[in-house]
Amino acid sequence: MPAHGTPHIAAAPGDFAPLVLMPGDPRRARRIAETFLEGARLVTDVRGIFGYTGTHQGEPMSVLASGMGIPSVSIYATELLRHYGVRRIARVGTAGAIPASVALRDVVIASAAHTDSQVGRLPDSGVTLSLAPSHRLLGAAVRAAEQEQPDGGGAVRIGPVFSTDHFYLDRPAVFDTLERRGTLAVEMEAAGLYAVAAAEGGEALAVLTATDHLRTGEQLTAAERETCFARAVRIAADALLAD
């Protein structure tokens, strides 16, 4: 790696911990650094994508924003895993609930990521990969969720999500089909993260908070979105620390 960093990350070698929390929004990255990590210092801010490194429960841990969409998260995850010695990345983001059984503020742990992107297709092979998280991180997140103390938030759900390239996707039949197949929520990054982790030999997991509902039209305000994801961050961080 060049001493000045990668094309999208200005951190020096050793600036990132092996364990990384990855929200989409740079403001969430800063909030996690300020309220969740201890002794956090800014290590990169290229293109306004903030990255910090500190500790959590005495272990080095970093946070880096991914931006929106599969191409963006794929770039940052690849550079972290390939050039900075990162071993595990946990996405902590927002999602739109699909079935009525998932309510606003529920946490969704993504056991698989369906997608309409080409990220799961191997070139010139006709093969589409199954995009799934690290089994170790998934199991650790489920155990962490079971030990969480009730704090007025929603339930924790474990199941597939749909990672789409289209934020304004107006295709109800697609969501009907996905719901019949057990899909819990729609978002825009998990499939890209899982694909990169598989390609680079890393471990990945997505822990999401339902902030919108496709069926009811309910949605949290911008301020609520910024403050309701603490439980997902705790679950994701516990998973990163698992043996």
Side-chain angles (χ1 to χ4, degrees):
M1 186 184 69
H4 62 274
T6 65
H8 306 92
I9 300 174
D15 274 348
F16 276 99
L19 312 177
V20 176
L21 295 164
M22 183 170 279
D25 187 343
R27 290 183 301 174
R28 292 194 191 112
R30 182 169 58 196
R31 183 184 294 272
I32 290 169
E34 292 173 346
T35 64
F36 191 77
L37 298 181
E38 296 180 0
R41 61 186 179 90
L42 182 70
V43 297
T44 183
D45 60 359
V46 176
R47 296 172 178 253
I49 296 294
F50 301 133
Y52 300 83
T53 294
T55 62
H56 175 63
Q57 296 183 10
E59 293 292 330
M61 188 174 292
S62 298
V63 57
L64 176 71
S66 71
M68 289 189 292
I70 287 172
S72 186
V73 73
S74 298
I75 287 171
Y76 290 106
T78 296
E79 294 184 5
L80 287 176
L81 293 167
R82 186 177 296 179
H83 299 297
Y84 284 97
V86 170
R87 295 185 294 108
R88 295 176 173 177
I89 301 174
R91 164 165 157 68
V92 281
T94 60
I98 297 176
S101 59
V102 179
L104 295 190
R105 295 184 174 83
D106 281 1
V107 171
V108 176
I109 302 173
S111 61
H114 310 311
T115 186
D116 54 8
S117 166
Q118 295 296 305
V119 70
R121 292 187 64 83
L122 295 180
D124 304 319
S125 69
V127 174
T128 299
L129 299 175
S130 295
L131 301 175
S134 156
H135 182 268
R136 178 163 44 189
L137 296 189
L138 177 62
V142 172
R143 291 191 296 273
E146 291 171 346
Q147 296 170 6
E148 276 281 304
Q149 298 298 317
D151 60 1
V156 177
R157 315 286 183 179
I158 299 95
V161 301
F162 173 47
S163 300
T164 181
D165 281 338
H166 307 279
F167 185 84
Y168 295 106
L169 181 63
D170 187 18
R171 294 166 62 189
V174 171
F175 294 111
D176 290 343
T177 301
L178 288 167
E179 182 175 350
R180 288 196 297 271
R181 285 159 174 79
T183 310
L184 299 181
V186 57
E187 54 88 71
M188 299 186 71
E189 289 83 26
L193 178 59
Y194 290 178
V196 167
E200 298 293 330
E203 294 185 83
L205 179 69
V207 183
L208 311 166
T209 303
T211 56
D212 306 86
H213 207 294
L214 271 66
R215 303 306 193 186
T216 66
E218 296 175 284
Q219 57 184 319
L220 300 182
T221 66
E224 289 171 329
R225 289 169 188 260
E226 290 304 312
T227 57
C228 75
F229 61 91
R231 187 166 52 142
V233 173
R234 291 195 301 269
I235 292 170
D238 285 348
L240 289 177
L241 292 171
D243 293 331

